[in-house]
Amino acid sequence: MSFYLTTPIYYVNSTPHIGHAYTTIAADILVRHRRQRGEETFFLTGTDEHGSNIPRVAAEAGLDLQEFVDRNAAAFQEMTVRVNASNDFFVRTTDDRHKAVVQEFLQRIYDRGDIFEGVYAGLYCTRCEAFYTEDELVDGLCPLHGIRPEHVEEKNYFFRLSAYQEPLLRLYDERPDIVLPRFRYNEARSFIELGLDDISVSRASQRWGVPVPWDESQVVYVWVDALVNYWSALAFARPGEDLRPRFWPVVHHLLGKDILKFHCVIWPALLLGAGLEVPKQLFVHGYLLMDERKMSKSVGNVIDPLDLIDVYGVDPVRFYLFRVATFGQDGSISLEGLHERYERELGNELGNLLSRTTAMIARYRQGELRPEPVSEELTAELARAQDEVAVRLDEFDVTGALELVWELVRRLNRRVEQAAPWELAKDEARAGELDQVLHELADGLRAVAVALAAFVPSTSERILAALGQPADLAWAGVAAGRTVAATGIVPAEPLFPRVDAPTAAA
Ligand code: MSP
């Protein structure tokens, strides 16, 4: 099996906030999990650099255009590294190799007959990079950004999107899981049912962008340029190798709900127009909210992911985002919420479980862990988790999958309380029972570490190391009885050391 997953490519008009980190982390969790199952994967992220407001923003910053986008693209690359994303490539739309594929792509549609010349007059929001009709505006302002759209009138090239209503409806009928969650499928389908207008795919008044191949006085519309990244990057990510035959049929896109129409309607139509295969699946997620509002630079309520990572470490941030909000729905985040889950769930539930288990093995068994039979109950629970976590992740239900693993953590904590190993240790006659409990805790914790590896990769590594277990993350390890004999186990350092609570000013 092969699996190709993309994040949207991020605009470089400013630096990343946690809403961007969110999609990248979700993608990373999904891809790491597939790798654990032995699938061949490709994980792409990157930056969208030809925004029509880039020349203005760069000028305001007093920087040359290329220097400006290089600087912000570097900030997104740093974010990708700091959230511990295991992407295979980082694509930039200012890369000449990408630009060449964009030209080729547009030329294909042109040659097949679905691009024509026309005049566009309309209201354009430079933040959405999209046209609006008068009725769509709210008090004359963009409904998403609250800014006044610009009146644009120019000769453009148009893509005959209207001709794709029928083919798209057929596609949606044939593939009811093409868009997830289901309510987003319905939303996309109703856009198509309402009827589709042709869209302008070039700009006459701009220079910053990819020249239209048959008319270099125009540049390609930034959304077309950006969408093509998913296809172009495979052509040059591995010099000398074209990955498209291997990964294009299995392409999956993650995206936020604000860009549903571009991805679920326009993108498949453009691909059909170019005679290419449409994506296998698209998953649309919700927003992270702060104080009930979408976190965004324009509202000014953003959190810098790097600040949180500096204080808590990367794994707690990865963990929190998918505990607090159901992936697919909107969810409110807060510094207090992160702190609280850090202490209660990561510190008290997972961290203490490892501390206690290793401390008891060190104290009662001189650091020696010996394989013992595992109870039927734990065996059955791990077998169930192994199947069900995989099923949820196949449906992009990152939150549901994490909840299932967390139930195992809680179960192991209950086992410690019920078995009270410290009581067993007082009675020589119960030594066999104690061996069994200690082994069962270690085995359960080892399986949990494997199950958690996609979510909190460094924590999993530390748990396995503390238990003297090999760093084998194969999904088959989420099963009972895979613990190997180990010696020299010492009380583990706290996985999640104390952190000061956030102050009101933070
Ligand atoms: N450049 C376009 C995408 C082109 S893809 C071919 C773009 N960029 S963006 O930087 O504005 O947004 C990128 C992604 O970040 C989108 O999926 C968007 O939904 C997501 N998010 C931005 N703010 C967010 C939150 N507050 N919460 C969750 N996701 C958010 O759109």
Side-chain angles (χ1 to χ4, degrees):
M1 282 276 278
S2 301
F3 183 73
Y4 170 31
L5 188 65
T6 69
T7 71
I9 50 172
Y10 305 107
Y11 284 133
V12 288
N13 46 343
S14 61
T15 50
H17 62 66
I18 200 140
H20 306 122
Y22 184 54
T23 322
T24 301
I25 295 170
D28 188 56
I29 292 171
L30 293 161
V31 173
R32 281 180 188 265
H33 171 73
R34 298 286 183 139
R35 288 195 202 110
Q36 287 185 274
R37 280 166 41 195
E39 293 187 17
E40 183 187 37
T41 59
F42 197 82
F43 171 13
L44 181 71
T45 186
T47 40
D48 180 353
E49 307 190 8
H50 289 131
S52 60
N53 58 3
I54 293 282
R56 183 179 48 79
V57 185
E60 280 166 12
L63 290 173
D64 163 71
L65 271 173
Q66 193 61 46
E67 197 181 335
F68 176 79
V69 295
D70 285 349
R71 203 178 272 199
N72 282 350
F76 278 93
Q77 271 161 332
E78 186 195 356
M79 180 275 279
T80 310
V81 171
R82 294 286 308 279
V83 302
N84 202 3
S86 58
N87 55 307
D88 294 287
F89 192 65
F90 189 100
V91 62
R92 297 185 55 189
T93 56
T94 49
D95 188 316
D96 286 337
R97 297 168 300 179
H98 164 76
K99 294 198 218 169
V101 181
V102 170
Q103 292 189 321
E104 217 178 273
F105 185 92
L106 210 68
Q107 186 75 50
R108 278 175 92 131
I109 308 181
Y110 188 69
D111 293 344
R112 293 166 63 97
D114 278 329
I115 288 182
F116 61 94
E117 203 178 309
V119 172
Y120 203 97
L123 295 159
Y124 191 77
C125 170
T126 54
R127 303 222 24 170
C128 295
E129 301 287 1
F131 281 105
Y132 280 101
T133 60
E134 292 280 359
D135 324 338
E136 288 167 334
L137 302 180
V138 178
D139 300 329
L141 306 178
C142 162
L144 289 186
H145 296 101
I147 58 171
R148 192 166 297 283
E150 292 168 13
H151 182 78
V152 175
E153 181 164 351
E154 56 181 37
K155 185 191 92 176
N156 281 174
Y157 292 97
F158 284 73
F159 170 59
R160 216 179 298 283
L161 183 61
S162 56
Y164 288 87
Q165 183 181 25
E166 284 310 316
L168 286 176
L169 286 175
R170 262 202 313 280
L171 174 70
Y172 271 67
D173 287 342
E174 282 161 15
R175 310 238 313 255
D177 62 351
I178 188 166
V179 175
L180 293 176
R182 185 69 192 176
F183 71 105
R184 296 294 179 200
Y185 169 95
N186 293 336
E187 187 180 332
R189 200 177 191 289
S190 47
F191 270 132
I192 304 167
E193 276 168 358
L194 281 174
L196 302 171
D197 292 331
D198 295 337
I199 56 162
S200 147
V201 290
S202 70
R203 290 291 174 270
S205 53
Q206 286 168 33
R207 302 265 46 83
W208 181 242
V210 181
V212 170
W214 61 87
D215 177 354
E216 300 226 337
S217 71
Q218 306 233 355
V219 296
V220 177
Y221 174 38
V222 60
W223 263 103
V224 175
D225 169 359
L227 287 162
V228 172
N229 91 88
Y230 302 136
W231 165 253
S232 73
L234 291 181
F236 60 85
R238 294 283 168 274
E241 192 184 359
D242 187 347
L243 297 172
R244 290 177 291 191
R246 227 155 95 201
F247 289 110
W248 191 253
V250 290
V251 53
H252 297 72
H253 300 306
L254 285 190
L255 53 133
K257 64 182 183 181
D258 48 340
I259 52 179
L260 174 141
K261 200 168 167 184
F262 290 106
H263 281 81
C264 302
V265 182
I266 297 176
W267 178 226
L270 288 168
L271 286 163
L272 290 173
L276 299 171
E277 271 185 83
V278 299
K280 186 145 192 209
Q281 212 162 34
L282 302 107
F283 183 89
V284 186
H285 67 75
Y287 290 153
L288 293 181
L289 311 173
M290 273 285 272
D291 309 320
E292 308 301 316
R293 299 186 66 185
K294 179 189 180 196
M295 190 188 309
S296 76
K297 280 267 155 76
S298 46
V299 179
N301 59 347
V302 293
I303 294 185
D304 183 337
L306 304 191
D307 290 345
L308 297 186
I309 293 172
D310 286 343
V311 176
Y312 292 93
V314 62
D315 283 355
V317 174
R318 293 172 62 110
F319 174 81
Y320 173 66
L321 293 178
F322 296 93
R323 281 300 272 166
V324 69
T326 298
F327 192 52
Q329 312 277 341
D330 290 352
S332 287
I333 62 167
S334 69
L335 296 180
E336 295 72 21
L338 166 62
H339 190 81
E340 194 266 336
R341 279 196 199 255
Y342 179 83
E343 288 193 331
R344 180 168 55 87
E345 296 193 323
L346 291 173
N348 293 344
E349 295 180 4
L350 182 61
N352 273 352
L353 180 63
L354 179 71
S355 303
R356 288 164 110 181
T357 304
T358 50
M360 292 190 293
I361 295 170
R363 179 153 172 212
Y364 303 139
R365 291 296 176 260
Q366 292 70 51
E368 192 179 345
L369 181 59
R370 271 179 309 220
E372 294 278 339
V374 182
S375 69
E376 276 178 24
E377 197 193 340
L378 182 66
T379 307
E381 279 184 42
L382 288 176
R384 204 174 59 228
Q386 187 184 44
D387 288 347
E388 286 183 6
V389 171
V391 168
R392 302 243 169 143
L393 288 174
D394 283 352
E395 292 165 354
F396 298 80
D397 180 7
V398 180
T399 310
L402 182 53
E403 172 59 24
L404 286 177
V405 184
W406 215 253
E407 281 166 16
L408 291 174
V409 171
R410 293 192 168 142
R411 186 205 170 274
L412 291 170
N413 277 310
R414 283 199 299 278
R415 178 87 176 112
V416 180
E417 294 306 324
Q418 281 158 3
W422 44 91
E423 295 298 332
L424 298 175
K426 289 182 190 153
D427 185 351
E428 218 7 79
R430 303 182 78 182
E433 255 177 90
L434 179 59
D435 280 336
Q436 215 170 354
V437 174
L438 293 179
H439 175 263
E440 179 146 337
L441 290 175
D443 195 41
L445 203 40
R446 177 203 51 75
V448 161
V450 177
L452 278 178
F455 301 91
V456 286
S458 7
T459 301
S460 287
E461 257 175 50
R462 288 164 65 199
I463 297 174
L464 293 173
L467 294 169
Q469 300 301 303
D472 177 3
L473 301 179
W475 194 244
V478 186
R482 303 259 173 160
T483 296
V484 298
T487 53
I489 293 175
V490 295
E493 291 291 312
L495 284 176
F496 304 101
R498 248 196 68 75
V499 164
D500 288 334
T503 56

